[in-house]
Amino acid sequence: MTTQRAWVRMPSGRRLDLLDPTPFDWDDDDLALGLARTYRWGGHSAWPLPLSVAQHSITVLQLRRLWSPAPLDPLTALRELLHDAEEGLLGFDCISVLKPFLGDSFRELSQRLEQAVFLRYGLPAWTPKEYQVHKRADRLAAASEAVHVVGWSGDEVRRTLKITAVPLNEDPLQALYGAPAWEPWPPGLACERFLDELNRLKAAAS
C-alpha cells in the first residue's frame, strides 16, 4: 500500500508534505510569497487586483496594535501576523461557509500546518481571552474588506454574510503605507511588506 503524500515544492527548493508537515519545510520568503499569492474572498474584488492573505494579516496586526493600551509584545504581534500562515503554505483560503463541506480531513490538515507554524516561530498557544480579542480584529477586518474591497453593502455584510462587526471607514494601513485606502497590493509588494514585518518581529522576539 502506497503511503499518501501531498508534496509542494517551495520557491526556495524546500519540499513540504501537506499531510505530514514539519517546521523545517519552508523558509520565510516561501511563506511571505505564498500568502501574497493566496487571495481572500475567493479572489473576488471590486478592484483590479484581489486582496491577499498577506495584506489581510497585516491589517489584523495593525488593528490589534491600535487597540492595545501598551505596545504588543513581539510574540503576540508575531502570532497575529501569522494567524493565517497555514493558508500561504496550502495556497488556499477557504471561504468560511464551505469549510463544513470539506469535512474533518481538511480541518485536520489545516491544524497540522498551523501547529508546524507555531513550532517554527515559537508562538504561544492562544488563551481563550487572547483568541477572543484576535477574532474581534479578524471579523472587523473581514467586514471592512467585504465593503471596501469586494463591494458588499454594510447591510449585506450584516444580513447576508452574517458578520455583525460594523465596517471601518478608514483603512488602518493607509497611515503606514500611504496607498489609496483599501486598495489591494500587487503580490510582489504584499510579499515585501509581509516579509519586512515578519523579520522585524522575529528580531524583536529573539
Side-chain angles (χ1 to χ4, degrees):
M1 182 176 177
T2 303
T3 302
Q4 286 186 316
R5 295 185 183 275
W7 290 109
V8 176
R9 188 184 188 280
M10 297 293 172
S12 64
R14 299 191 188 194
R15 296 187 303 170
L16 167 67
D17 181 1
L18 294 173
L19 303 182
D20 188 22
T22 81
F24 312 106
D25 296 340
W26 71 91
D27 64 22
D28 293 343
D29 296 80
D30 293 327
L31 178 60
L33 187 60
L35 287 166
R37 292 177 175 176
T38 301
Y39 298 120
R40 287 177 58 77
W41 304 100
H44 299 292
S45 174
W47 296 81
L49 291 173
L51 180 72
S52 69
V53 177
Q55 186 172 346
H56 163 79
S57 299
I58 299 174
T59 298
V60 172
L61 171 58
Q62 181 62 7
L63 287 172
R64 288 285 285 109
R65 283 173 167 159
L66 292 171
W67 293 347
S68 179
L72 295 178
D73 70 81
L75 281 179
T76 297
L78 191 58
R79 186 176 56 190
E80 292 293 344
L81 182 69
L82 295 170
H83 76 273
D84 281 335
E86 74 280 359
E87 295 173 359
L89 300 174
L90 187 60
F92 176 49
D93 177 14
C94 182
I95 297 173
S96 297
V97 294
L98 294 182
K99 290 180 180 179
F101 294 92
L102 296 180
D104 292 340
S105 295
F106 179 75
R107 184 175 65 255
E108 291 166 4
L109 183 152
S110 297
Q111 288 173 344
R112 285 195 294 269
L113 288 169
E114 182 182 283
Q115 289 167 1
V117 169
F118 271 55
L119 284 171
R120 178 183 176 93
Y121 296 101
L123 303 179
W126 299 99
T127 67
K129 183 177 180 180
E130 289 169 340
Y131 191 70
Q132 184 179 30
V133 177
H134 159 71
K135 288 308 294 182
R136 179 185 163 213
D138 198 28
R139 292 189 185 104
L140 180 58
S144 305
E145 293 163 4
V147 170
H148 299 294
V149 176
V150 187
W152 294 95
S153 70
D155 185 64
E156 288 172 326
V157 169
R158 185 175 64 257
R159 294 180 180 274
T160 304
L161 302 183
K162 308 300 182 185
I163 302 174
T164 58
V166 178
L168 296 168
N169 290 320
E170 295 185 5
D171 181 354
L173 300 184
Q174 194 170 25
L176 295 177
Y177 300 106
W182 304 107
E183 181 178 15
W185 302 334
L189 184 59
C191 177
E192 177 185 325
R193 288 174 172 172
F194 184 92
L195 191 59
D196 285 348
E197 192 67 65
L198 177 61
N199 287 334
R200 279 195 296 270
L201 292 174
K202 284 177 58 182
S206 62

